[in-house]
Structure formats: C-alpha cells, structure tokens
Amino acid sequence: MFTGIIEAIGEVVASESRGGDLSLRIKTHGLDLGDVQLGDSIATNGVCLTVVELPGDGYRADVSVETLNYSTLRQLKPGSRVNLEKALTPTTRLGGHLVSGHVDGIGEIISRSADARSERFRLRAPAELAKYIAHKGSITVDGTSLTVNAVEGNEFELNIVPHTIEKTIIGGYRAGTRVNLEVDVIARYLERLLLGDKAASAESKGGIDLAFLAEHGFYRG
C-alpha cells in the first residue's frame, strides 16, 4: 500500500522487451533505497512494481502484460521522468489516501490553465471509471493523491498547488498527456458490497447499473 505522496522523481534509464512483457530500470535520484530489499514494492507512476535488482543507483522491475495493458508504462523510454513512492511502513504518515498501486485505467489531460498560483487541469477518464469519481473525492494520477474539484460525466478537474507541481511530474503535463488513474479503493469495495449475493454471479461482471439500482429501490426512472 501507498499514500500517494510522491517521495522523488526518478528517471527511466532502460526499457527492455523480454518475452512479451517489459523490464524497466529506474534511476531513483533523491529516493533513499537504504531500507529497500529485493522483493519490496515501489510505486512507479502509480504502478506497484516489485524490485528484482538493486544496481546501486536505482532498481530494476519487471512489468507484466496485464500491467502494460492498463497503464502508461509501455510508453516509457530512456529519459522519461516518473513519480516514485516506497511502500508504507507502520510508522508512515498517511498524508494522502490509501493507494494500492493497482492502476484502473489510462486518462488523458484535456486542458491546463493558471488559477492564481495554482494550476487547474481537466482530465478525461475511461467511461467505465466515471462512476467512481466524485466531487471532493480522492483520485490517484500517476501515483499522486489528488482531490477532485469538479466532475462532469467522465471528465473531472484538479487544482494543483505549486509544491505538487514542483515535486512531481505533473509540471510536465500538457493537453494530450496520458496518465495512470487509480480510483478510490473504498468506492470499489462499496460497489461490490452493494451487489450482495449477486457478487458471486457471472451477471455481476458489469457492476452496478441503473437497472440494478431500480430493482433494489435506490433509483426510480
């Protein structure tokens, strides 16, 4: 688990295709790896990756086909900057929100504009994730825990303060930038709980829709 509070900006130094999946080598720069061992997890642009090598100036991790299909890691190349966060410890301050490092899908930056000293970003999420994004709720963008300031359909807005712009890769976002999204894990569990006994049925694959809500008295068409 992670908090979504970025600890350092790393740099991809190698991206190698291996048997259909990917091997990434990351230089960690300011991230202290003194307490990291082989098998530990490091969130890399919000993706929980397992450390398989510690060459001294960073780490190497393998990226599965499943992860490549749901994240932007496939587009990383030498020189790409990435957000880094080590896994939680029992004494870690939970400054953001609970983040699993399991990316739900890829979003896209639609626009960026100044808002006093902050920057306001508008993003488009995959349609299937829209139901999990709520006004003033939490969302993880490339591993950064952020607050949703407005929602309209599958588009939402974020207000990013100068400190976050400086300490994460968000400062490099432009219209068209693709980003990793992880929705609030509580919303996902709530959906599953509301399904009740139907959660064990193959019919529950699509999750909760208007028909389900109407059947259980939560919605009237």
Side-chain angles (χ1 to χ4, degrees):
M1 297 296 291
F2 307 90
T3 69
I5 303 300
I6 302 306
E7 297 179 278
I9 297 177
E11 179 185 351
V12 177
V13 293
S15 176
E16 303 173 9
S17 179
R18 293 190 177 182
D21 54 29
L22 200 64
S23 173
L24 285 178
R25 181 173 170 184
I26 310 293
K27 183 181 290 186
T28 54
H29 295 302
L31 185 67
D32 180 15
L33 298 179
D35 59 348
V36 175
Q37 300 179 11
L38 297 183
D40 285 352
S41 298
I42 297 179
T44 307
N45 272 4
V47 181
C48 177
L49 296 180
T50 300
V51 174
V52 297
E53 284 184 17
L54 288 165
D57 60 349
Y59 63 96
R60 189 175 70 80
D62 294 322
V63 186
S64 69
V65 173
E66 174 75 7
T67 300
L68 292 172
N69 289 339
Y70 281 90
S71 75
T72 63
L73 295 193
R74 190 188 298 274
Q75 70 188 35
L76 295 179
K77 56 187 178 181
S80 295
R81 299 163 77 236
V82 289
N83 288 328
L84 301 177
E85 183 191 356
K86 294 185 291 187
L88 279 167
T89 68
T91 58
T92 304
R93 284 193 175 95
L94 187 59
H97 70 285
L98 287 175
V99 175
S100 69
H102 303 157
V103 171
D104 293 299
I106 298 173
E108 181 180 352
I109 306 297
I110 300 173
S111 64
R112 172 179 179 171
S113 59
D115 188 359
R117 293 191 305 115
S118 298
E119 296 277 344
R120 185 167 290 269
F121 292 83
R122 189 172 183 88
L123 295 84
R124 181 181 297 114
E128 63 271 19
L129 298 183
K131 59 185 175 181
Y132 303 112
I133 302 173
H135 180 232
K136 296 303 179 183
S138 296
I139 193 165
T140 308
V141 179
D142 278 341
T144 306
S145 171
L146 298 169
T147 300
V148 177
N149 295 109
V151 182
E152 184 179 354
N154 67 323
E155 296 183 3
F156 62 99
E157 292 186 359
L158 304 169
N159 186 71
I160 312 298
V161 298
H163 177 82
T164 304
I165 292 285
E166 178 185 353
K167 298 297 183 180
T168 72
I169 66 170
I170 293 176
Y173 288 173
R174 299 292 184 269
T177 299
R178 287 155 55 87
V179 295
N180 293 323
L181 299 179
E182 180 186 333
V183 298
D184 191 351
V185 66
I186 295 175
R188 282 208 170 277
Y189 279 119
L190 179 59
E191 177 187 43
R192 196 69 174 165
L193 285 168
L194 286 173
L195 286 171
D197 292 340
K198 286 192 174 183
S201 168
E203 297 176 1
S204 72
K205 184 177 180 180
I208 294 174
D209 55 19
L210 291 180
F212 177 90
L213 293 175
E215 180 183 349
H216 292 82
F218 294 105
Y219 169 79
R220 292 183 180 180

